[in-house]
Amino acid sequence: MKWFWYASPQTFYPLAGTIARGCGFAAALLAAAGLYIGFFVAPTDAQQGEVYRIIFIHVPAAWMSMFIYVVMAFWAALGLALNTRLSAMMAAALAPTGALFTFIALWTGSLWGKPTWGTYWVWDARLTSELILLFLYFGFIALRAAIEDPRRADRAAALLAIVGVVNVPIIYYSVQWWNTLHQGASVSLTRAPSMAKAMLAGMIVMALAFWLYSIAVSLVRVRCMIRESA
Amino acid sequence: MSDVYIWGSYAVTFALLAAEIALLVRRSRRAEEGNRGGP
């Protein structure tokens, strides 16, 4: 694989188009499969009833909100270290989608919280750190837009992205470090799943759909940026 | 009552994703129109 060949926006442009089309198509298929499993295959929860079906979008959206931020900070750091324009473009292209998934995680979480906890919102460590993540995304987008010189804008936004990445482990471990209303991790690599297989499958399939969707839209956005900067 | 919360979650999520796609398609078209010569 010629990594440095594709580091140039001009050579990356057609490759991004091909990957975006493939990922977009796969994301649509997986989202349809995830919805089918979530609504027709997964059983009703014994304690929460039907409202638990919100987790099929809430949990994958929350995973994506954190994962996209880490990937965004990685590209931003790479752009800062190597002064590569495409890395900064990748970071900038991921930010709106990351902010969108953070908002979706907060929105669906509050709609799940009302019937389950009796409230839409509490200033709980998990919820508050996730809200800070949304503000970090907004800050990144706003800072980049506020500086006219693209190189300076990329550098300033990269610093914010790198500093802000400290919030991701805080979100993840908040339920262990503090006494929170939010329950612990739904899925763990070290423990056997505590939910029915169909429930887990629905969540994993939807997470894959969101993941491929994020790749597709980010690459389309990068292609727009390359066109606009040419 | 739980239906309101479920549909409120799914409808808003997929509406936002569709809006992002629509905005990107529009931006993509504009970028292509503004730069016919290629990247």
Side-chain angles (χ1 to χ4, degrees), chain A residues 66 70 126 164-175 177-178:
Chain A
M66 291 185 282
V70 173
R126 171 60 69 86
V165 85
V166 74
N167 189 45
V168 174
I170 293 175
I171 298 171
Y172 189 79
Y173 290 109
S174 57
V175 288
W177 291 344
W178 292 285

Side-chain angles (χ1 to χ4, degrees), chain A residues 13-59:
Chain A
Y13 186 86
L15 177 70
T18 309
I19 297 172
R21 271 190 295 277
C23 287
F25 184 68
L29 285 180
L30 283 169
L35 285 174
Y36 178 76
I37 297 169
F39 280 103
F40 301 108
V41 180
T44 304
D45 187 78
Q47 287 181 324
Q48 297 177 38
E50 298 297 338
V51 80
Y52 94 93
R53 294 185 197 279
I54 292 173
I55 68 157
F56 295 118
I57 44 172
H58 171 69
V59 176

Side-chain angles (χ1 to χ4, degrees), chain A:
Chain A
M1 187 85 180
K2 297 179 219 166
W3 294 107
F4 289 104
W5 170 258
Y6 289 114
S8 155
Q10 280 72 23
T11 48
F12 183 69
Y13 186 86
L15 177 70
T18 309
I19 297 172
R21 271 190 295 277
C23 287
F25 184 68
L29 285 180
L30 283 169
L35 285 174
Y36 178 76
I37 297 169
F39 280 103
F40 301 108
V41 180
T44 304
D45 187 78
Q47 287 181 324
Q48 297 177 38
E50 298 297 338
V51 80
Y52 94 93
R53 294 185 197 279
I54 292 173
I55 68 157
F56 295 118
I57 44 172
H58 171 69
V59 176
W63 285 343
M64 288 313 301
S65 69
M66 291 185 282
F67 181 67
I68 290 176
Y69 195 92
V70 173
V71 177
M72 184 183 88
F74 166 78
W75 283 117
L78 206 66
L80 200 61
L82 303 178
N83 204 21
T84 46
R85 190 82 182 92
L86 187 59
S87 304
M89 282 179 178
M90 285 297 292
L94 282 162
T97 307
L100 186 67
F101 277 117
T102 311
F103 176 79
I104 289 170
L106 289 166
W107 174 261
T108 54
S110 74
L111 285 182
W112 178 84
K114 182 63 179 167
T116 315
W117 296 340
T119 179
Y120 287 109
W121 181 265
V122 281
W123 292 100
D124 166 273
R126 171 60 69 86
L127 278 68
T128 308
S129 52
E130 184 74 9
L131 182 65
I132 290 169
L133 185 72
L134 181 64
F135 293 152
L136 280 168
Y137 276 121
F138 287 161
F140 180 90
I141 295 166
L143 185 60
R144 203 172 169 276
I147 301 171
E148 219 167 297
D149 176 22
R151 294 272 181 192
R152 280 187 61 219
D154 288 343
R155 280 198 294 273
L159 280 176
L160 178 65
I162 293 163
V163 171
V165 85
V166 74
N167 189 45
V168 174
I170 293 175
I171 298 171
Y172 189 79
Y173 290 109
S174 57
V175 288
Q176 294 173 26
W177 291 344
W178 292 285
N179 188 17
T180 61
L181 187 58
H182 197 285
Q183 73 271 35
S186 310
V187 180
S188 166
L189 291 172
T190 53
R191 279 185 287 111
S194 56
M195 63 177 77
K197 276 182 187 165
M199 293 178 183
L200 183 66
M203 243 163 58
I204 301 288
V205 169
M206 202 53 105
L208 282 172
F210 281 179
W211 189 57
L212 290 166
Y213 168 87
S214 304
I215 294 172
V217 292
S218 303
L219 289 177
V220 171
R221 196 172 285 117
V222 162
R223 277 166 61 89
C224 291
M225 288 173 175
I226 293 171
R227 280 262 184 195
E228 287 159 0
S229 67

